[in-house]
Amino acid sequence: MTNIKVLIESLSNKQSEALDRIQSCNNLNDLRQIRSKYFGKESEISKILSNIRDIKDDSEKKQIGEYSNKLKNILEIEISKQENILKNIEINKDLDKSIDISLEKYTNNIGSLHPITQMIDKIVEVFGYFGFSVASGPEIETDWFCFQALNLNINHPARDMQDTFYIKENHILPRTHTSSVQIRTMLKEKPPIRIIAPGRVYRNENQDQRHTFMFYQYEGLVIDKTTNISDLKSILTTALRNIFDNSDIELRLRHSYFPYTEPSFEIDATCMLCLGKGCNVCSNKGWLELLGGGMVHPQVLRNVDIDPNIYQGFAFGGGPERLLMVKNMIEDTRLFYENDLKFLSQFRKI
Ligand code: DAH
């Protein structure tokens, strides 16, 4: 006759032995073997339990049945706990071997185009819609291309506004404006002409919030038989609305003077921050001065052998930095040239 006490005792011995093994097991294969050792058909526990059939007393049978179920549950829970621990260890080992894609360093180091380059790209794209192609010229220019051909003779007082670093002997200088590209283009190409010329220019300036010795400009030139001021105004209005992504912008042309245009204008746009109401950015004027421009002076056309009785056109010039400063409320133009990543990364697209 099977003694229930003996049975329970041997089950309980098996329980503590199994718990020890499970808890000290350190790989998943061994754990699988432990499971079949204690639970499989041929397992030791099954063997012990096969003796239950010999128990005659129903309540004893029930007691031993309940005990063995409890034991199975305890061991199952312990096995799955240990299985989780071991699986996690394996996953972590795998991760150690691969690159940790959660490290922020990698995402933060993505480079991007400089804001000025982004703005120039935008300008080129927008004027491209109107059929303007990109033109360029050298940054080291001759006095003739930079000034004389543009109607600024040697002693012209307007040269004072564009002081630069002259090399007297061969009359070369770092160009002070991109207007020199007008001359180079008109000498190379026959009208009709439609170009946009972005590039670097240099002036003898004291560095301050609004001035640097080097900065960027974009120059536009259209030469054709019937171009007029309203073409200039409508193309620039559409272009600036597109660049600022604001269809409420209007333009205002104020009389001004440039030796290479007649009439000449300062071109203002509605302040896009206050929409003309007046604010700090526009010094309460409601308008922002963004470009210079006008109808190309007949003498400039003659200088490049284009007959002003047949052709006319308009030209304009402005600074991409100015557009960026207004668009992003930046107060100091020097920030664009300091290579401070904290500043530059604000213009990252992703
Ligand atoms: N060259 C001028 C400057 O640097 C800008 C400018 C004004 C360009 C009038 C033009 C123009 O083409 O017509 O300030």
Side-chain angles (χ1 to χ4, degrees), residues 36 38 46 61 130 152 190 203 205 232 244 265 280 284 348:
S36 67
Y38 290 99
S46 301
K61 230 182 201 171
F130 293 104
L152 279 139
K190 294 269 152 281
R203 290 192 194 171
E205 302 274 9
L232 164 74
F244 288 106
F265 309 103
N280 280 349
N284 280 321
R348 212 166 39 203

Side-chain angles (χ1 to χ4, degrees), residues 330-345:
I330 295 163
E331 285 180 356
D332 194 329
T333 187
R334 290 170 295 191
L335 285 166
F336 291 115
Y337 306 110
E338 286 171 355
N339 279 342
D340 178 351
L341 283 179
K342 261 193 241 138
F343 172 74
L344 294 176
S345 60

